[in-house]
């Protein structure tokens, strides 16, 4: 039982789902039993030895429901290895890697609640037609026009797998 890991995620337009699934797959390939479940479907963490939680970023922070998930389960999460990741578009900018230390601050609301054993940041993707509000769609269309970033899938599967491989040791403690 001591290698059972929950990989849980919160996503609005779908890009984070694949990141969580890739993390779960890599953990499983490395001998852990990993369940990959959306946060809204998770009721109880007690059967898990460790938890990996991730969210899409909106307006420089995790989705509100993801922060709420950590708040709700903070007592249980403090008792087991907990790792956190975020998925964003800043890392998909041509010079996105320069913003890593700034991006790291977007996880401060999570760190305040529970100290993670590891955090990581991943580029996600942009599908403007899936964005819910007209004003946000307009803002992203303009940002693409000005070359801030490109639409499409920017997920770096090697970076995602590398982090998941490293996690195995940290989550087994
Ligand atoms: C309204 C809105 C706000 C966003 N705010 C940010 C942001 O502050 N920083 C950032 O790097 N990416 C931002 N993004 C980009 C998303 O984080 C990115 O598209 C991510 O891959 C979405 O993941 P999801 O499909 O799992 O929801 C924003 C996207 C939208 C639609």
């Amino acid at each position: 039982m001591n290698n059972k890991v929950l990989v849980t995620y919160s996503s609005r337009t779908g890009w984070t789902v694949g990141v969580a699934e890739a993390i779960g797959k890599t953990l499983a390939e490395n001998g852990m039993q990993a369940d990959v479940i959306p946060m809204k479907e998770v009721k109880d963490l007690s059967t898990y030895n460790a938890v990996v939680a991730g969210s899409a970023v909106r307006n420089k922070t995790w989705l509100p429901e993801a922060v709420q998930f950590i708040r709700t389960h903070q007592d249980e999460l403090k008792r087991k290895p907990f790792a956190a990741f975020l998925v964003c578009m800043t890392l998909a900018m041509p010079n996105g890697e320069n913003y890593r230390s700034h991006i790291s601050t977007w996880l401060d609301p999570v760190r305040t609640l529970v100290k993670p054993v590891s955090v990581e940041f991943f580029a996600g993707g942009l599908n403007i037609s899936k964005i819910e509000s007209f004003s946000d769609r307009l803002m992203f269309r303009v940002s693409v026009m000005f070359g801030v970033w490109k639409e499409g899938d920017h997920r770096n599967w090697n970076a995602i797998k590398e982090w998941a491989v490293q996690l195995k040791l940290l989550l087994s403690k």
Side-chain angles (χ1 to χ4, degrees), residues 3-4 9 25 30 52 72 77 80-81 86 89 95-96 98 101 111 146 156 162 164:
N3 65 355
K4 196 169 173 205
Y9 61 86
K25 186 165 175 274
N30 284 276
V52 182
T72 302
L77 287 169
K80 43 191 92 192
L86 62 76
M89 273 304 284
N95 57 350
N98 297 343
S101 58
R111 289 188 185 94
F146 279 93
N156 178 339
E162 270 172 33

Side-chain angles (χ1 to χ4, degrees), residues 10-17 55-56 58 63-66 130 132:
S10 196
S11 168
R12 286 279 166 83
T13 59
W15 301 106
T16 305
V17 184
S55 170
R58 286 213 171 177
L63 298 174
E65 58 269 33
K130 277 197 174 178
E132 306 86 337

Side-chain angles (χ1 to χ4, degrees), residues 15 18 81 100 104 118 132:
W15 301 106
R100 273 192 175 264
S104 179
S118 178
E132 306 86 337

